[in-house]
């Protein structure tokens, strides 16, 4: 990085046509970002190495929580974990890690070998810190793995130190998108502080949003695309045309705004659908409709001002960060490019604002932080 912060993916080209246009109100001046090479503090402690990054979220202390798969640290990076050691590097890190704003590790716990009396996900997916500080994780595997591992039909809730508080569902295959007892490849969760309800994006295997009491796990309600009952009808992938699918195809994120709107990422249909908390459909936004591969709508995070003016959206199929105006879903800027150099994206999976408007991005084996450089702050 040659002693300086690297501009992310030709940021000047990405932003110059957008910021300061006369047609845009002043309130729509959007933040500009560059890579913060100081985060996290490296190397990680204890010779730790990371597997696939399954989920990230920023808590009320502005700390980043990360969920990765220790079992997916490659064999060539496990030398220090062998008995006897076969090299200086490395040891798989615990599955859940908390970082402070400076990138220091504060605590870490979890992983399949530590799961006693509950089901650890076969293919971990999603991490969320609720308004009480509890940690939620799920799993995306929908069939028996090549190693014999079972499908993920559960979501787990822990206290910040790793004590299990709740398991919703369990290991095993889907029982269908209308069954209230079993999930299937649930990708994400958000917990509503007003009702203490957990809204789960049950979307790798099933095709729905499903809601439970966040303390007891009691089923409350569920819905599919457009607020209709979910179905398991086999539908072709969206082709980018004017006729939009009537069913979700990989419900990959869910986020509840302060005004009660619920944002749902329908990843392989390249759209975001918006609902009220009772499942009433409000509107939808389609982005880069002809994108195939990983799709164009991976996850969204809400800008931390009172109105939650902006959203950041991860576009995994095009390897980009997308800044949106929440009021109407309008794209305000795009930046990013495929690659493995610092500031580029390789299998970008999630993007999250922190409490100051900076952005964390997760990929295979790393999280990067992008900091604001033009003074637009919450």
């Amino acid at each position: 990085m040659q002693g300086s912060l690297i501009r992310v993916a030709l940021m000047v080209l990405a932003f110059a046509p957008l910021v300061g246009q006369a047609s845009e109100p002043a309130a729509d001046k959007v933040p500009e970002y560059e890579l913060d090479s100081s985060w996290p503090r490296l190397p990680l402690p204890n010779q730790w190495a990371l597997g696939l990054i399954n989920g990230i979220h920023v808590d009320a202390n502005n700390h980043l929580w990360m969920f990765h798969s220790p079992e997916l640290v490659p064999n060539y990076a496990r030398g220090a974990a062998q008995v006897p050691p076969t090299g200086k590097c490395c040891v798989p890190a615990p599955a859940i890690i908390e970082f402070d704003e400076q990138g220091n590790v504060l605590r870490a716990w979890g992983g399949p070998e530590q799961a006693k009396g509950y089901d650890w996900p076969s293919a971990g997916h999603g991490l969320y810190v609720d308004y009480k500080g509890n940690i939620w994780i799920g799993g995306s595997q929908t069939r028996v793995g090549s190693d014999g591992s079972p499908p993920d039909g559960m979501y787990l809730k822990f206290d910040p130190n790793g004590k299990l508080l709740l398991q919703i569902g369990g290991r095993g295959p889907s029982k269908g998108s209308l069954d209230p007892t079993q999930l299937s490849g649930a990708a994400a969760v958000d917990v509503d502080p007003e009702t203490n309800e957990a809204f789960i994006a049950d979307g790798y295997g099933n095709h729905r949003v499903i809601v439970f009491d966040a303390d007891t796990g009691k089923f409350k309600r569920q819905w599919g695309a457009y607020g209709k009952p979910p179905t398991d009808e086999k539908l072709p992938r969206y082709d980018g045309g004017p006729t939009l699918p009537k069913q979700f195809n990989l419900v990959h994120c869910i986020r509840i705004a302060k005004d009660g709107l619920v944002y749902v990422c329908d990843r392989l249909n390249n759209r975001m659908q918006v609902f009220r908390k009772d499942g009433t459909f409000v509107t939808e936004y389609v982005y880069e409709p002809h994108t195939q591969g990983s799709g164009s709508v991976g996850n969204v995070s809400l800008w931390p001002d009172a109105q939650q003016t902006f959203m950041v959206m991860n576009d995994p199929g095009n390897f980009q960060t997308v800044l949106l105006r929440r009021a109407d879903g309008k794209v305000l800027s795009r930046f990013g490019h495929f690659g493995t150099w610092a500031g580029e994206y390789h299998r970008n999976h999630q993007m999250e604002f922190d409490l100051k408007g900076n952005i964390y991005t997760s990929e295979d084996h790393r999280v990067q932080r992008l900091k604001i450089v033009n003074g637009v702050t919450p």
Side-chain angles (χ1 to χ4, degrees), residues 136-204:
W136 296 72
I137 62 170
S140 62
Q141 187 161 297
T142 59
R143 55 182 62 88
V144 176
S146 59
D147 60 353
S149 55
D152 293 322
M154 82 295 283
Y155 230 92
L156 304 174
K157 172 187 173 183
F158 299 90
D159 76 7
N161 293 311
K163 177 183 177 182
L164 181 74
L165 301 177
L166 179 68
Q167 176 171 317
I168 296 173
R171 286 176 172 163
S174 171
K175 296 180 180 179
S177 290
L178 291 174
D179 181 84
T181 65
Q182 181 79 344
L183 306 175
S184 180
V189 68
D190 198 342
V191 179
D192 180 11
E194 293 185 355
T195 64
N196 196 45
E197 292 177 329
F199 290 65
I200 295 177
D202 189 20
Y204 271 90

Side-chain angles (χ1 to χ4, degrees), residues 295-308:
S296 64
V297 183
N299 87 290
V300 294
S301 179
L302 303 174
W303 184 251
D305 66 350
Q307 296 76 33
Q308 297 177 308

Side-chain angles (χ1 to χ4, degrees), residues 39 50-58 63-70 94-99 120-121 123-129 135-140 155 186-189 204 252-253 255 298-299 314 347-352 360-368:
W39 200 100
L50 299 175
L52 304 186
I53 309 297
N54 306 317
I56 56 173
H57 196 245
V58 176
H63 293 172
L64 182 92
W65 289 76
M66 173 196 299
F67 176 28
H68 84 109
S69 292
I96 309 294
I97 307 175
E98 179 189 6
F99 295 87
W120 191 264
H125 197 285
L127 180 145
Y128 180 77
V129 186
I135 312 301
W136 296 72
I137 62 170
S140 62
Y155 230 92
V189 68
Y204 271 90
H252 198 255
C253 89
R255 196 54 56 92
N299 87 290
N314 174 42
R347 283 168 50 93
N348 41 301
H349 190 249
Q350 193 171 346
M351 298 182 182
E352 294 287 328
Y360 290 97
T361 70
S362 71
E363 308 160 65
D364 289 358
H365 309 293
R366 71 175 180 184
V367 172
Q368 301 185 88

Side-chain angles (χ1 to χ4, degrees), residues 49-375:
L50 299 175
L52 304 186
I53 309 297
N54 306 317
I56 56 173
H57 196 245
V58 176
D59 68 12
N61 297 314
N62 214 29
H63 293 172
L64 182 92
W65 289 76
M66 173 196 299
F67 176 28
H68 84 109
S69 292
E71 66 275 15
L72 295 181
V73 173
N75 288 334
Y76 59 76
R78 293 170 171 262
Q82 305 304 313
V83 181
T86 59
K88 294 181 179 180
C89 181
C90 291
V91 175
I96 309 294
I97 307 175
E98 179 189 6
F99 295 87
D100 66 16
E101 286 189 68
Q102 291 72 43
N104 300 300
V105 172
L106 297 181
R107 58 184 145 185
W109 47 266
E113 73 287 345
Q114 296 183 26
K116 307 297 182 184
Y118 59 90
D119 298 329
W120 191 264
S122 297
H125 197 285
L127 180 145
Y128 180 77
V129 186
D130 68 22
Y131 69 102
K132 297 178 181 179
N134 298 314
I135 312 301
W136 296 72
I137 62 170
S140 62
Q141 187 161 297
T142 59
R143 55 182 62 88
V144 176
S146 59
D147 60 353
S149 55
D152 293 322
M154 82 295 283
Y155 230 92
L156 304 174
K157 172 187 173 183
F158 299 90
D159 76 7
N161 293 311
K163 177 183 177 182
L164 181 74
L165 301 177
L166 179 68
Q167 176 171 317
I168 296 173
R171 286 176 172 163
S174 171
K175 296 180 180 179
S177 290
L178 291 174
D179 181 84
T181 65
Q182 181 79 344
L183 306 175
S184 180
V189 68
D190 198 342
V191 179
D192 180 11
E194 293 185 355
T195 64
N196 196 45
E197 292 177 329
F199 290 65
I200 295 177
D202 189 20
Y204 271 90
N206 293 329
H207 304 89
R208 65 183 175 183
V209 172
I210 187 166
V211 185
F212 298 91
D213 182 275
D215 287 337
T216 67
K218 179 182 178 181
F219 169 73
K220 294 294 192 72
R221 59 194 174 278
Q222 61 185 354
W223 68 83
Y226 298 102
K228 304 296 185 181
T231 78
D232 292 307
E233 180 184 0
K234 299 298 182 183
L235 297 178
R237 181 158 180 178
Y238 176 49
D239 61 5
T243 302
L244 290 165
K246 301 302 181 183
Q247 177 177 274
F248 289 136
N249 189 0
L250 211 176
V251 191
H252 198 255
C253 89
I254 190 161
R255 196 54 56 92
I256 305 170
K258 295 176 182 178
D259 58 13
L261 294 178
V262 180
Y263 294 85
V264 176
C265 299
D266 189 10
R267 197 178 95 182
L268 298 185
N269 285 331
N270 300 329
R271 69 181 172 187
M272 184 191 310
Q273 289 202 332
V274 187
F275 301 89
R276 303 197 188 283
K277 294 178 188 179
D278 63 1
T280 301
F281 175 74
V282 177
T283 191
E284 65 183 354
Y285 308 116
V286 179
Y287 299 99
E288 304 295 336
H290 295 285
T291 303
Q292 295 293 299
S294 296
S296 64
V297 183
N299 87 290
V300 294
S301 179
L302 303 174
W303 184 251
D305 66 350
Q307 296 76 33
Q308 297 177 308
T309 304
F310 305 122
M311 296 190 291
V312 61
M313 182 178 77
N314 174 42
D315 180 345
N318 297 297
F319 306 98
Q320 290 191 311
T321 297
V322 186
L323 292 176
L324 307 172
R325 183 170 58 201
R326 189 170 76 89
D328 57 5
K330 176 182 174 62
V331 174
L332 299 175
S333 67
R334 282 182 170 269
F335 59 91
H337 189 271
F338 170 78
T340 57
W341 298 103
E344 295 182 319
Y345 297 143
H346 175 246
R347 283 168 50 93
N348 41 301
H349 190 249
Q350 193 171 346
M351 298 182 182
E352 294 287 328
F353 284 126
D354 71 5
L355 300 184
K356 297 178 181 178
N358 302 307
I359 297 173
Y360 290 97
T361 70
S362 71
E363 308 160 65
D364 289 358
H365 309 293
R366 71 175 180 184
V367 172
Q368 301 185 88
R369 183 165 72 180
L370 313 179
K371 70 176 183 178
I372 297 170
V373 294
N374 68 334

